[in-house]
């Protein structure tokens, strides 16, 4: 039963070594790593381990394989999208928390809300009104209230025309949604806070009205929730 664990550790070790060499420039785009047999001998691992290493690196867009006499495994050219995607995926191996992600989401909120305020359509407005009503209904329940909150913020972010901003924001939000219970426990934010609900109402109203100044004020209030309102919100 211990074999899978040992093999996985070897895969991670080889992948990490090759990734580091690429990141540091020791392996440039187009560099030939060798054949699978070469890699197995170089790292002292089994052919099945090398096969998994190549699969992981290929999935990350780091390598490509070529057949024929001059074939083998080569460092691939990575698109900007692949670089960003791999960066987000790397968070899986880094100790972080949903609260860390929320701090970054807070930092992105001004750009997200400004875009939503400028570009919202009638269909967007209908969805925001519906989701705000849902938020009001579920607000008193700790988990259901959080889920409604995330759905509202997700819909606001979907309005933004900047694909890079949208992808980063939505991926961070997905991480928080997947860790909602630890977040609810660690954040220590009262789910039935009247002030917090009012802030979301102001935020949605400003977006719907297309009022950039009001939207900016609502965002600033929203960003203080995780600090100030823990202390002053007694309603």
């Amino acid at each position: 039963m211990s074999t899978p664990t040992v093999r996985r550790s070897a895969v991670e070790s080889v992948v990490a070594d090759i990734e580091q060499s690429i990141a540091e420039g020791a392996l440039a785009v187009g560099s030939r790593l060798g054949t699978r047999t070469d890699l197995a001998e170089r790292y002292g691992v089994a052919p099945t381990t090398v096969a998994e290493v190549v699969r992981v690196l290929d999935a990350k867009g780091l390598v490509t394989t070529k057949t024929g006499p001059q074939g083998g495994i080569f460092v691939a050219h990575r698109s900007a999208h692949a670089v960003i995607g791999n960066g987000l995926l790397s968070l899986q191996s880094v100790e972080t928390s949903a609260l860390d992600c929320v701090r970054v989401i807070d930092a992105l909120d001004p750009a997200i809300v400004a875009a939503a305020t400028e570009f919202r359509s009638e269909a967007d407005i209908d969805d925001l009104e519906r989701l705000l009503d849902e938020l009001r209904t579920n607000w008193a329940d700790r988990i259901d209230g959080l889920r409604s909150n995330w759905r509202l913020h997700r819909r606001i972010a979907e309005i933004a025309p900047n694909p890079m901003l949208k992808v980063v924001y939505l991926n961070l939000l997905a991480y928080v949604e997947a860790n909602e219970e630890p977040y609810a426990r660690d954040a220590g934010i009262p789910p039935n806070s009247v002030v917090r609900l009012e802030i979301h109402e102001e935020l949605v109203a400003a977006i719907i009205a297309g009022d950039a100044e009001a939207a900016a004020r609502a965002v600033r209030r929203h960003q203080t929730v995780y600090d100030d309102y823990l202390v002053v919100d007694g309603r």
Side-chain angles (χ1 to χ4, degrees), residues 11-92:
V11 169
E12 292 175 346
S13 176
V14 176
V15 167
D17 184 73
I18 294 174
E19 281 187 311
Q20 182 176 356
S21 295
I22 294 173
E24 292 177 349
L27 290 172
V29 171
S31 296
R32 186 175 183 271
L33 300 179
T35 65
R36 297 189 181 207
T37 300
D38 294 333
L39 288 178
E41 293 177 353
R42 185 182 309 158
Y43 287 100
V45 296
T48 52
T49 299
V50 172
E52 180 67 6
V53 167
V54 173
R55 187 195 68 77
V56 172
L57 293 173
D58 180 68
K60 291 185 173 186
L62 291 171
V63 301
T64 184
T65 57
K66 299 178 182 178
T67 58
Q70 302 300 318
I73 302 158
F74 296 82
V75 177
H77 173 77
R78 292 192 295 165
S79 68
H81 289 87
V83 172
I84 292 172
N86 291 336
L88 291 172
L89 286 173
S90 70
L91 288 175
Q92 296 175 355

Side-chain angles (χ1 to χ4, degrees), residues 98-99 101-103 105-106 109 128 131 134-135 139 142-158 169-170 172-184 187 189 196 200 222 225-226:
L99 193 54
C101 289
V102 169
R103 297 293 186 186
I105 288 171
D106 262 2
D109 266 333
L128 293 180
L131 289 169
E134 178 189 303
L135 184 67
W139 191 248
R142 189 171 188 77
I143 297 299
D144 286 346
L146 276 177
R147 289 173 179 170
S148 294
N149 177 51
W150 303 139
R151 280 193 288 271
L152 175 62
H153 282 281
R154 176 175 293 277
R155 187 64 183 86
I156 292 171
E158 287 171 351
Y169 189 97
L170 292 178
L172 289 167
L173 190 54
Y175 183 93
V176 178
E177 289 175 306
N179 294 273
E180 60 188 17
E181 291 190 9
Y183 172 74
I189 299 172
R196 289 185 62 233
H200 286 86
H222 183 271
V225 160
Y226 305 101

Side-chain angles (χ1 to χ4, degrees), residues 122-134:
E122 289 300 322
D124 296 327
I125 289 172
D126 289 343
D127 283 347
L128 293 180
E129 289 177 335
R130 174 180 55 80
L131 289 169
L132 183 59
D133 285 339
E134 178 189 303

